[in-house]
Amino acid sequence: MGNRVFDAVLCDLDGVIRFYDLTEVTRLERAAGLAEGITAEIGFAPERDLPLLLGQISRAQWAASIADALADRIPAPQASELAAAFAHAPFRADQCAVELIGKARGRMPVVLVTNAPAWLDEDLALLGLTDLADHVVNSSRVGIAKPDPEIYRIAAERAGVPAERCLFVDDTQANIDAARAAGMTAVLYRDPSDLRQALAPVL
């Protein structure tokens, strides 16, 4: 085991492994005379985003709530088009992160711990990442979202490893703080070098 301080890797998905392409959303925002990023700001506002991430609303309902908020600023047809483009934005996987996680999985359990909607399995299949991890703890399936302490307990349980023997990687400071409070070794992700460095003891 050497000087390794973990026996399982718990990793976030969005912002670490998966990245969205909002080019079309930005184009539509500009065309509508809106500030760039306003659709994401509206879409990810907790009152709209959290029900989606807890599995309480569908993608269509989420898009409709974004369109409603945008319709205060632009004509309804434009608002609907923009909301739909945002809700169905294309995405890609970062191959460097995928390779690093794959190598880690050859040596220990890997669990994806993600605040994600109910259609995550379809997205992972589209990315060819169905077998990236041993388990996926998806907020919309367990009904709990990061940084709630319970989702960390579930993730450690799925990994079959005590929390204090888990490495947790995420791109959000609040989630990192919660993982540390749960006793985990936690690394704030900014680019693949952070992941490479964190996994160095096992790779």
Side-chain angles (χ1 to χ4, degrees):
M1 195 153 64
N3 59 358
R4 192 172 86 209
V5 294
F6 55 91
D7 298 314
V9 178
L10 312 183
C11 189
D12 182 24
L13 178 68
D14 291 320
V16 179
I17 295 165
R18 171 167 71 167
F19 293 86
Y20 283 88
D21 177 4
L22 297 177
T23 310
E24 176 63 6
V25 173
T26 302
R27 188 188 71 74
L28 289 169
E29 285 172 339
R30 284 183 187 146
L34 292 171
E36 274 179 45
I38 188 71
T39 312
E41 201 177 292
I42 288 168
F44 293 138
E47 67 272 16
R48 284 180 206 89
D49 197 33
L50 202 54
L52 180 76
L53 299 179
L54 293 177
Q56 295 163 356
I57 60 170
S58 68
R59 184 173 355 208
Q61 288 170 308
W62 181 52
S65 75
I66 296 168
D68 283 348
L70 285 168
D72 292 342
R73 304 157 194 252
I74 56 175
Q78 259 181 314
S80 293
E81 185 186 11
L82 195 42
F86 182 71
H88 295 270
F91 47 78
R92 62 173 179 85
D94 180 83
Q95 281 316 119
C96 187
V98 168
E99 280 168 30
L100 288 166
I101 293 292
K103 284 179 186 170
R105 194 185 169 197
R107 294 164 172 82
M108 60 179 56
V110 169
V111 180
L112 290 181
V113 188
T114 175
N115 287 354
W119 60 87
L120 175 66
D121 290 353
E122 296 161 38
D123 287 0
L124 289 174
L126 282 171
L127 288 167
L129 299 181
T130 306
D131 295 325
L132 181 65
D134 297 284
H135 302 280
V136 177
V137 178
N138 177 358
S139 62
S140 62
R141 290 290 163 91
V142 296
I144 305 151
K146 296 178 291 188
D148 187 311
E150 180 64 9
I151 200 166
Y152 297 86
R153 190 195 64 73
I154 292 169
E157 197 174 85
R158 297 263 177 99
V161 170
E164 55 273 15
R165 300 294 305 172
C166 291
L167 170 70
F168 179 83
V169 181
D170 199 288
D171 69 329
T172 303
Q173 188 63 51
N175 298 342
I176 291 292
D177 294 343
R180 287 189 181 133
M184 297 176 176
T185 299
V187 171
L188 182 65
Y189 183 93
R190 292 170 305 268
D191 61 60
S193 66
D194 295 316
L195 189 58
R196 190 177 290 109
Q197 202 175 339
L199 295 174
V202 293
L203 302 183

